[in-house]
Amino acid sequence: MSDIKLTLDGDEEKEDKKLTSLMEDEGKYIQANIKFSNEEEKQIDDFSEKIDLTNTNIILQYGSGAQKKISNFSEKTLETVKSKDLGEIGSLLDKVVVDIKSMDDEEASGPFGFFKKQVNKLENLKVKYQSAEKNIDQIAKTLENHQITLMKDISMLDQMYALNEDYYKELSMYIEAGNRKLRKTYQEEIPALEEVAKTSNLPMDAQKVNDMKAMANRFEKKLHDLDLTRMVSIQMAPQIRMVQSSNAIMAEKIQTTIVNTIPLWKNQMVLALGMNHTEQAIRAQERVTDLTNKLLKSNADKLKQNTIDTAKATERGIIDLDTIKHTNDQLISSIEEVRNIQIEGKKNRQLASDEIARLEDELKRNLLSKNN
């Protein structure tokens, strides 16, 4: 049996609390049938009999509670299912991209400095890897939280869809009850009043006919407003399903990212780290080979020069011929000079002896001359 009850006082407080509770809980999908059941048909007939078009307040408040429910439902639906902000994931993805790119940076170094820098470079690479891995784990956790939120929204949207069907059915019942009242008014009540007015020919009876037509016209406009509100409820159904479908697609994509993409990122990062190790080993081996070849060439050049110098040294005499010749020349020259000096000395001694003899003879003569 339907739990919808038509009222003439426009009280929507109970239903509004039901909607608020729905926004805060998950619940399960509720099937709803918008066709009128036998009990609802009876309720519509009974309610149409209670409608008094002569009561201005009834016309003013007719169906207003259901209209407010639709209005509140639309606002709360929009507020609840608004798009979730994925900017946090975007910033984390940017950070991961920067970390991964920085893992490929080249480091310039000389042939000897290379070996000293590789340890620090490897440590820096591991730090960058750990930073990227941390950001990826944070992305996964954030995605999981968004997925949970989306799944809750999907469940809640199922309930909203069912609740919207209830509101649509309630509005339809108000409109149907009002239409039945209008048909009865136009087909029975107004003709009866017109008959009374014709019979009595009294101005007051004629005024009652005009008043009834005016009230019926106002009520017809009221039903038209309710029909417009019902159209909002009709439009709300595909909108809810569209948002629900978008949430489901996003939840599936997040699931794919968590299950496939993020593990693939980690695998590729591990492979990149391993390939970097291999590349470093190859480069180190190349540097070792180059350095070995350079040392071998340098030592070969030095060995050649040393061998030549040694051969020259072994083939050279203890004393050079030039030295012997120079020494011999100097010796001969010295002998000749000594001989010449000796000859000159002997000559000078002879002259000196002769001079001494002459002086001695002269002295004798002078002495003898004084004695005579």
Side-chain angles (χ1 to χ4, degrees), residues 88-103 127-128 130-136 138-139 265 269:
E88 179 183 1
I89 297 177
S91 61
L92 289 174
L93 286 173
D94 291 339
K95 184 70 168 63
V96 171
V97 171
V98 172
D99 290 340
I100 292 176
K101 283 185 176 181
S102 66
M103 292 175 67
V127 171
K128 292 176 181 178
Q130 292 171 356
S131 176
E133 185 180 28
K134 180 180 178 181
N135 286 328
I136 290 176
Q138 189 174 354
I139 289 174
W265 282 356
M269 289 171 60

Side-chain angles (χ1 to χ4, degrees), residues 9-24:
D9 55 6
D11 183 13
E12 75 287 349
E13 181 179 356
K14 184 176 180 180
E15 288 296 326
D16 189 59
K17 289 181 179 179
K18 179 180 179 182
L19 174 60
T20 302
S21 176
L22 175 60
M23 298 295 180
E24 297 173 351

